[in-house]
Amino acid sequence: MEVITLVIALVLGLGAGVFFGTRMGKAKGGAPGDTGASEAEAAKVRAAAKAEVEAIKQAAEVEGKEAARKRKSELDDELKQRRSELHKREETLGQKEREIEKQRKDAERRASELDKKEKSVDGKIRSADVSVEKAEAAQAEARKQLEQIAGLSADDARKKLEEAVRGQALQSAAVEIKRIEDDATKEATARAKTIVATAIQRFASEFVHERTVATIPLPSDDLKGRLIGREGRNVRALEAATGIDLIIDDTAESITISCFNPVRREIARIAISALVADGRIHPTRIEEVVRKAEKEVDKVCKEAGEQAVFDLGLHRVHPELVKHLGRLKFRQSYAQNVLLHSIEVGYLAGLIAAELDFNVKLARRAGLLHDIGKAVDHEQEGGHGEVGAQLARKHGESPKVCQAIAAHHGDDTGVKPAALLDHIVAAANSLSAARPGARREQLASYIKRLDDLEAICRRFSGVERAYALQAGREIRVMVLNDQVDDAQAIVMSKEIARTIETEATYPGQVRVVVVRETRASDYAR
């Protein structure tokens, strides 16, 4: 359309030019010859204009056809695309229809199967009812025939049967009573030892709560700046001399000492307290006070070790072992003071040895020294049992004592208890660690531990109730007697114990007791 409009405008322009050219020639009054020449020129112009118009028309037609062809091609492509989309939609709809048809057939098939099963069940129920009626009739008939043959009524036969069963039961009871009395006589000693062990477990002694940090009060906050010193030189001197980390924060009138080595922490506490009391704080004075504090702590360690040895009635303990033993005064394990724990293990080991007719002195010695490795495990590699055994062997202790020290944690350390002394020390260590109040724990974690133990038991099929007793050291599991028999109760106790070992965290050992109750009842009419 734009090309045609252009052609029309060009023709009109040429026509207007010829017209105005002719008119101008006439207006100037030219000669006849000039008029002829002008007409000839106009004819040429018209002829050229026509030729140009034809050329433009042809170009316009070609361009129009090309545009029409392109437009047709675009329309054809769009039509193909829409047909393709329509075909895809038809295929999708066809697939959905097939799926719906398949689901409908499956539903019909399932409904048919359910109808068949329902009819079959109804038939079986009717057949069972008929069988029950026949069995009841046969039982009644058999009872009548039995009464006729025996010459007794059902009540008389029941009475005679009860008398026979009662006689057999009394005889069995008498035999069982005799067997129980014999077993009780044989197991009297074992039962007495169990009672003694229970009493030992409840043994309570002094408890000292320890932490890995110590807080030192200050008379005023001005001393914090003096402890820090110019550019921190006093703090650096203190940390270098004692091997601790000194924490000076915004806490009012106090500073904190942090160190995993309890002896170093005690030396630093004594030294800083002396510096604060004296008021003279500089690197030279710090080194002097730290040396005095080290001597004081060594003296305290020696006295504590000698007192522990004296309390247990031991003798000929190497002075170095006594010193290392005293260092346990400043060591803790799960908030339990290790020196007091070692003394308590010595006492318990002696009590157990006395009950077993074993060497009491030797048991006390091994019990007191069982954790001696904790005094030097900051300085040597390996577990405290292995380190303690090496230290005791180095200072002349007997091989039996060294073996008991190495094996007091049982298979956990890779050294298995071999002799009776090993088991005595391991048992005494477990009793001291597990007794109520020895290793304090938060009430929430304590209750959660008991709840976890009870929840593990309730997961088993047939369990009615479960109770954690004796601070979680015994679990009573009540089972349903119609779901769990005696043999299954034994297996269940072992399975629950294995599950507790793999899933729960607990000190010492946990006893699992499965209780199954059988009741028989009748009515007197």
Side-chain angles (χ1 to χ4, degrees):
M1 293 298 294
E2 294 179 357
V3 176
I4 295 172
T5 303
L6 181 61
V7 170
I8 293 172
L10 182 60
V11 171
L12 291 176
L14 290 173
V18 172
F19 173 75
F20 284 113
T22 305
R23 295 288 298 175
M24 289 177 65
K26 289 181 180 182
K28 289 180 181 181
D34 295 334
T35 302
S38 298
E39 291 178 354
E41 185 67 25
K44 290 181 180 179
V45 171
R46 285 194 293 273
K50 287 181 179 180
E52 188 173 355
V53 167
E54 290 297 329
I56 292 173
K57 282 182 177 181
Q58 291 178 358
E61 289 177 357
V62 172
E63 187 174 354
K65 289 179 180 180
E66 182 66 22
R69 186 186 65 78
K70 289 182 179 180
R71 181 59 179 166
K72 182 180 178 182
S73 176
E74 291 176 356
L75 291 174
D76 290 341
D77 292 341
E78 185 177 357
L79 181 60
K80 288 180 180 179
Q81 184 177 359
R82 290 186 178 181
R83 286 178 178 175
S84 176
E85 292 177 356
L86 182 60
H87 180 67
K88 290 180 180 179
R89 289 181 181 178
E90 289 178 352
E91 289 182 351
T92 303
L93 290 175
Q95 184 178 358
K96 289 183 178 180
E97 289 177 355
R98 289 191 295 272
E99 291 179 355
I100 292 172
E101 182 66 20
K102 182 180 179 182
Q103 292 176 358
R104 184 183 64 78
K105 290 181 179 180
D106 291 341
E108 291 178 354
R109 179 178 56 79
R110 290 177 182 175
S112 176
E113 291 178 354
L114 288 175
D115 291 338
K116 291 180 181 178
K117 289 182 179 179
E118 186 175 359
K119 291 178 181 179
S120 176
V121 170
D122 291 338
K124 290 180 179 179
I125 291 174
R126 287 193 294 271
S127 176
D129 291 339
V130 173
S131 299
V132 169
E133 292 176 358
K134 290 181 179 180
E136 289 177 351
Q139 185 178 5
E141 183 65 23
R143 188 181 298 111
K144 290 180 181 179
Q145 292 180 1
L146 182 61
E147 289 177 358
Q148 291 175 359
I149 295 171
L152 297 173
S153 64
D155 293 337
D156 294 336
R158 184 181 300 109
K159 290 179 180 179
K160 287 199 171 187
L161 181 61
E162 287 177 355
E163 291 176 358
V165 170
R166 188 179 296 109
Q168 293 177 359
L170 290 174
Q171 184 179 2
S172 299
V175 174
E176 186 68 16
I177 290 171
K178 183 65 170 61
R179 186 188 63 81
I180 291 173
E181 289 178 351
D182 293 340
D183 292 342
T185 302
K186 293 178 181 178
E187 295 178 2
T189 305
R191 282 174 159 243
K193 290 178 181 179
T194 302
I195 295 172
V196 171
T198 304
I200 292 172
Q201 185 176 359
R202 296 180 178 223
F203 174 80
S205 64
E206 184 180 359
F207 178 87
V208 178
H209 180 68
E210 297 279 347
R211 295 181 298 176
T212 59
V213 296
T215 302
I216 299 177
L218 299 177
S220 64
D221 283 337
D222 296 336
L223 284 173
K224 290 184 179 180
R226 297 176 62 183
L227 285 172
I228 296 172
R230 182 179 300 175
E231 297 179 356
R233 64 176 185 175
N234 291 343
V235 170
R236 289 196 297 272
L238 270 170
E239 293 180 345
T242 59
I244 53 93
D245 292 327
L246 191 61
I247 302 174
I248 303 177
D249 51 18
D250 296 332
T251 305
E253 299 181 355
S254 67
I255 59 174
T256 303
I257 301 171
S258 176
C259 182
F260 285 100
N261 190 319
V263 177
R264 290 182 179 274
R265 188 170 65 248
E266 180 65 15
I267 292 172
R269 187 190 66 80
I270 294 173
I272 294 175
S273 298
L275 289 171
V276 169
D278 182 63
R280 294 176 295 168
I281 305 175
H282 52 81
T284 304
R285 177 64 178 166
I286 289 171
E287 293 177 359
E288 179 183 353
V289 172
V290 168
R291 285 195 296 270
K292 290 182 179 179
E294 288 176 349
K295 294 180 180 179
E296 183 177 348
V297 170
D298 287 342
K299 181 180 179 182
V300 171
C301 290
K302 183 180 178 182
E303 292 175 353
E306 290 174 349
Q307 186 63 41
V309 172
F310 176 80
D311 290 342
L312 288 173
L314 304 180
H315 56 86
R316 294 182 182 177
V317 180
H318 195 280
E320 283 297 318
L321 289 180
V322 173
K323 179 180 176 181
H324 288 308
L325 192 63
R327 296 181 67 182
L328 297 179
K329 176 182 176 67
F330 306 106
R331 177 70 187 265
Q332 73 286 337
S333 177
Y334 298 99
Q336 185 181 25
N337 185 275
V338 178
L339 179 58
L340 296 180
H341 164 68
S342 298
I343 295 172
E344 186 176 73
V345 170
Y347 278 122
L348 292 174
L351 290 171
I352 296 173
E355 289 296 322
L356 298 174
D357 294 330
F358 191 77
N359 189 330
V360 176
K361 292 288 185 180
L362 187 64
R364 285 188 175 186
R365 194 181 196 93
L368 178 64
L369 298 177
H370 80 286
D371 269 347
I372 193 70
K374 290 185 178 181
V376 292
D377 61 356
H378 292 291
E379 306 164 2
Q380 298 183 24
E381 295 183 358
H384 70 276
E386 179 184 356
V387 173
Q390 294 175 357
L391 185 64
R393 193 178 297 112
K394 176 181 177 182
H395 293 96
E397 288 295 327
S398 67
K400 292 182 179 180
V401 172
C402 297
Q403 169 66 18
I405 294 173
H408 75 273
H409 277 300
D411 296 340
D412 296 341
T413 58
V415 181
K416 296 182 180 180
L420 179 58
L421 180 61
D422 303 348
H423 294 283
I424 290 175
V425 174
N429 178 58
S430 299
L431 290 173
S432 175
R435 66 176 177 82
R439 296 184 176 181
R440 292 182 178 175
E441 55 185 351
Q442 294 181 355
L443 179 61
S445 62
Y446 170 79
I447 295 175
K448 184 178 183 304
R449 178 161 61 84
L450 299 186
D451 290 340
D452 291 343
L453 291 174
E454 294 177 354
I456 290 173
C457 298
R458 288 194 294 267
R459 293 206 310 254
F460 287 80
S461 177
V463 174
E464 183 180 10
R465 295 183 301 273
Y467 301 102
L469 307 176
Q470 295 184 9
R473 293 176 181 83
E474 181 174 340
I475 303 294
R476 297 281 178 89
V477 183
M478 311 296 178
V479 298
L480 300 171
N481 64 337
D482 57 344
Q483 297 183 16
V484 180
D485 57 21
D486 292 338
Q488 291 175 341
I490 296 173
V491 175
M492 181 181 290
S493 65
K494 297 183 181 298
E495 291 178 351
I496 293 175
R498 299 293 85 77
T499 305
I500 292 175
E501 287 178 356
T502 56
E503 296 182 10
T505 302
Y506 53 92
Q509 61 184 7
V510 178
R511 181 187 181 193
V512 180
V513 180
V514 177
V515 180
R516 178 178 180 269
E517 181 182 13
T518 302
R519 295 185 180 183
S521 61
D522 199 357
Y523 296 92
R525 297 179 179 86

